Structures are given as structure tokens and as C-alpha cells.
Amino acid sequence: MRRIFSRSKFFTGCAVLPLLTGYAHADQAATPEDWNAHLQSTYTWQNKHAFAAAYSGPNSLSTNRELSYSWTTTLALGWRPWQGGELYVNPEAAQGIPLSGLTGLGGFSNGDMGRASGSTLKLYRARVFLRHSWQQDGETEALESAANQLAGTQSRRRWVLTAGNLSVLDVFDPNSYAHDPRTQFLNWSLMTYGAYDYAADARGYTWGAALERYADDWVLRAGRFIEPRQPNQQALDPKIWQHYGDQIELEHAHTLAGHPGRVRVLAFNSHLRMARFDDATLLASRTGSTPELGLVRHGDQHKRGLGLSVEQAIGADLGLFGRYSKADGQTETYAFTEIDLSLTAGAVLRGTAWQRAQDSVGVAVASNGLSAARRAYLAAGGISFFIGDGALQYRQEQAVEAYYNLALNKSLALTLDWQHIRHPAYNAARGPVDIASLRLHTEF
């Protein structure tokens, strides 16, 4: 799960969601704001159909029919304390029951479902962060009022520092078409680079800082954030110089046949006390036991990876996107999900052709894989945080997702979503599985 309720960076004229806006049109300069307040609420209901499996293990997706729901609501408060400065606070509440206890898939079916979710409504602070921008001479663009974005004008040449309690995805990989599971695709592997094991607590937030340099069509961003004390847990380790997640991303904007697009390249490195799959498998072979990550979680390790993201508008109503990501796959998943290799692609179409310009249709595919070291660990009967069938007939986990986003009014949308997942948890002996979803989302 990752919460995405951040400043929007959507392109003018692209087939983006009708409920979220970012840059205003050049002839629609926004009135500058000193403060604002926005609210979002999202309820997602899912029905997983029963499916066949040759066998199941401790962390398998249940073969029985299951129902699931999640509900989140977030208040985004913004204030401009000085020229160039912005302070944001986001109280949030969440409640939900995941499918199979949130186990049994690499790309989970609901990106708004957190590991800390439960049947009791929980209220917590999601974000409190400061953003400061140093504007330079050059072309300007108007910003609309949005969640965690004050209306005003900014230069296309500027420095931006963001620091505090937030989501890493508030800054990195701001894909226009596949980024927000509250309004776009639901599957985890479609909301960012699938193999990007970025720093986050069990709700998807962390503490840290990122610096961005905007130079017309180019953006360079880099950041360091703290990690959980234990894999996929809520408590964070404050030792930012000892245990951390670093990332750097280069972005370039372009036009193709007169339509905007962007290309991003990401590199990340985490330094943590992590277990290595090879160590666990070797220890088990020597002792004649089942491999267990907890027995070899000693000493600091590095996890490194790369990502490539492309998005392109094709006309005024159609947008395409694709991502590729790969991690070294030698160490356990620490904060995101069990994916070491991911390739995704999709399209989003606005409903102008059928006189429903505020509606959108999305279709995407994902193919996710595991490293040789992780495969060997699972095949030997090992159980990791999210997956573990007790054995493994390895195949890449493949997912197809399609949705129709129906705008009921300018603030309320109903989404019908379907996901078909082959080889759940990378196991050819299980599945396929179909998951139908209804999502109700509102923003003010």
C-alpha cells in the first residue's frame, strides 16, 4: 500500500483523471493562495473469486472466495508562512480488511490497503512537511489549488527542498497515468516502479528530505529517507546516517508530434540490517531445516536497483505509459513488496468520444519476476513477509487490470475495476485469480 495525496504534476491536455488537477492553463492563471484545505475520501470494495491450486502454504492467497474493503479519508491543510515557503499537515483515518491477510501476491490488488489496516478505524498523522522553493528567472506556469499544493505561479527554473514526514512517492516517479490507487489503477505494481523497495512505514509514510532542480524541460531530484526498524513494520529507525533509503531521479519533458511526454530514470540504494536469501538457504541446507530469514538477519546490507518510466500523450484524450524496474534481489523486501523485476504498460482514455469527457477508461498489464536467490529460497520452503506457498513452480506473476472511472459530479467518482492475475506469488501451481472492485472516491 502507498498513500498518494500529493501535489499534482499532470500535463495540460493529457488524458488524466477528472478529479485531480495540477498546472493551470496559461490563460487561466490561478489566484495566489496563502492557505488552503482539501479533503479526500476513498472506499474500495473487492470480491476475489475462488480459484484452483495444487497446494497452499502459510502465506498463500486463499483459494476460497473472499471479500475485502478499505476506507481512507485525508484532510490536507496548507499554509504559506513566508515567500517561497509552504507548510502542509495531513491528518488521516483508515480502516480495512485485506484479502488473505495481505499475503499471496507480489502485486497486491488494492494500493490503498495498508499493512497496518484493521477493522477498527485508526486516526493518525500521515504527513507534516515543509516545502521551500527558490525561484529563478525564466518562463512561469500557474498552479491550481490542490491537495498539498497552494495556488500561485512558479518558475520553470527553480530549486525545491521538501523535508519532513511524507511519502517518498510524493516526490519521486510522479507518473500522470499510473500513480494514485485512489483514482487510477489499483494494483501495487502499477502505482510506481514494482521493484522499487522505497523507504516507508507500514502505512506508506516516512521522514526525510528531497532536493529538486527544475531547469525548463529537465528535473533532477535526490532524497534520503529513514527506514523501518524491522521489515514492513510501523516503527521507523531515526538513524538516518546509518540506515536509510537513497534515490536519485532524472526527468526530461518532451513533445512528440506536438503532444507532451516525459521520461524518467531512477536509481535507488537502501542500507539496512537485512537478511540475504542465499544465507538463509545455505544455513537450511547445512542444518537440514526450512530456510528462515529471521535466522540470518544480521549485519548491514545494501539493496540497489534501477527504474525507467515513460509517459506520452497521444492526442488530447489518450495517454500511454510504461515502466521497467529491477532490483538486485539478494536481500529481503524491507518496505514495499515482493518484486525484483517488473515491466508494466498501459493506456488511459478520456471519454470525450462518447460525450463523457470527465470519465476515463484505463487498461494496463504487468509482468513481475523474482531474482534467482529469492526463487531458490521459496522453492526450498522458505516464507517471506508477503509470499510463501511452501514450494515453488516458478513463473512470472502476470496481471491485467482494466477500469472505468465514472464521474458522478465534479467531486465524486465511481470506479468499476477488474484484475486478472496469473501465477499468484510467482507459482504456476496456483491460479489464475480474478478480482472485481468498486471504488467510490470524493475530493473537495
Side-chain angles (χ1 to χ4, degrees), residues 31 44-45 72 112 135 249 281 351 360 399 417:
T31 302
T44 303
W45 175 89
T72 62
D112 204 26
Q135 307 290 338
E249 186 175 51
T281 305
S360 59
D417 184 279

Side-chain angles (χ1 to χ4, degrees), residues 165-329:
N165 179 197
L166 68 160
S167 168
V168 173
L169 298 188
D170 292 342
V171 179
F172 293 87
D173 187 34
N175 190 285
S176 300
Y177 308 111
H179 188 62
D180 186 352
R182 290 171 174 166
T183 56
Q184 299 170 321
F185 295 98
L186 282 163
N187 194 282
W188 285 27
S189 55
L190 294 171
M191 56 192 280
T192 188
Y193 307 99
Y196 183 19
D197 194 10
Y198 59 92
D201 62 19
R203 295 191 178 109
Y205 304 109
T206 183
W207 289 82
L211 182 64
E212 300 172 271
R213 168 57 172 161
Y214 290 79
D216 297 319
D217 292 336
W218 291 90
V219 185
L220 179 64
R221 50 180 69 97
R224 170 169 287 193
F225 297 86
I226 60 176
E227 298 271 5
R229 293 182 183 273
Q230 297 292 329
N232 294 289
Q233 298 301 308
Q234 184 63 28
L236 293 168
D237 183 350
K239 300 175 182 176
I240 196 169
W241 304 113
Q242 181 178 353
H243 299 135
Y244 51 81
D246 285 345
Q247 43 272 302
I248 185 168
E249 186 175 51
L250 180 64
E251 173 183 312
H252 182 254
H254 63 268
T255 58
L256 182 63
H259 301 297
R262 292 183 188 255
V263 178
R264 301 179 185 90
V265 179
L266 174 91
F268 68 91
N269 171 51
S270 300
H271 185 250
L272 298 160
R273 184 175 176 267
M274 291 183 285
R276 293 175 55 87
F277 292 113
D278 285 346
D279 292 344
T281 305
L282 179 61
L283 178 62
S285 67
R286 288 175 175 174
T287 59
S289 59
T290 301
E292 185 178 343
L293 293 172
L295 298 177
V296 294
R297 192 175 290 128
H298 49 73
D300 289 347
Q301 310 287 342
H302 283 276
K303 174 181 287 188
R304 298 181 175 92
L306 296 169
L308 172 66
S309 175
V310 180
E311 56 183 280
Q312 181 64 51
I314 307 296
D317 296 317
L318 177 64
L320 308 178
F321 72 91
R323 288 191 185 98
Y324 170 83
S325 58
K326 184 177 182 180
D328 56 39

Side-chain angles (χ1 to χ4, degrees), residues 10 56 63 79 90 105 114 139 225 274 298 302 305 311 313 337 346 351 376 411 416-417 419 435 444:
F10 301 143
S56 298
T63 58
W79 175 52
N90 290 184
L105 290 170
E139 294 182 18
F225 297 86
M274 291 183 285
H298 49 73
H302 283 276
E311 56 183 280
T337 193
S411 300
L416 286 74
D417 184 279
Q419 297 176 59
I435 302 171
F444 299 97

Side-chain angles (χ1 to χ4, degrees), residues 94-207:
Q95 181 179 348
I97 300 296
L99 297 173
S100 301
L102 208 63
T103 61
L105 290 170
F108 286 106
S109 62
N110 182 359
D112 204 26
M113 178 71 72
R115 293 182 295 274
S117 296
S119 58
T120 301
L121 183 66
K122 298 176 182 177
L123 177 64
Y124 51 88
R125 182 200 64 245
R127 297 177 178 86
V128 54
F129 67 93
L130 179 69
R131 182 187 300 135
H132 185 85
S133 301
W134 292 268
Q135 307 290 338
Q136 297 180 314
D137 293 338
E139 294 182 18
T140 61
E141 55 198 3
L143 293 175
E144 295 179 348
S145 180
N148 297 335
Q149 177 174 281
L150 293 170
T153 302
Q154 65 183 9
S155 172
R156 297 187 67 222
R157 301 182 63 86
R158 64 190 186 278
W159 291 87
V160 180
L161 176 66
T162 305
N165 179 197
L166 68 160
S167 168
V168 173
L169 298 188
D170 292 342
V171 179
F172 293 87
D173 187 34
N175 190 285
S176 300
Y177 308 111
H179 188 62
D180 186 352
R182 290 171 174 166
T183 56
Q184 299 170 321
F185 295 98
L186 282 163
N187 194 282
W188 285 27
S189 55
L190 294 171
M191 56 192 280
T192 188
Y193 307 99
Y196 183 19
D197 194 10
Y198 59 92
D201 62 19
R203 295 191 178 109
Y205 304 109
T206 183
W207 289 82

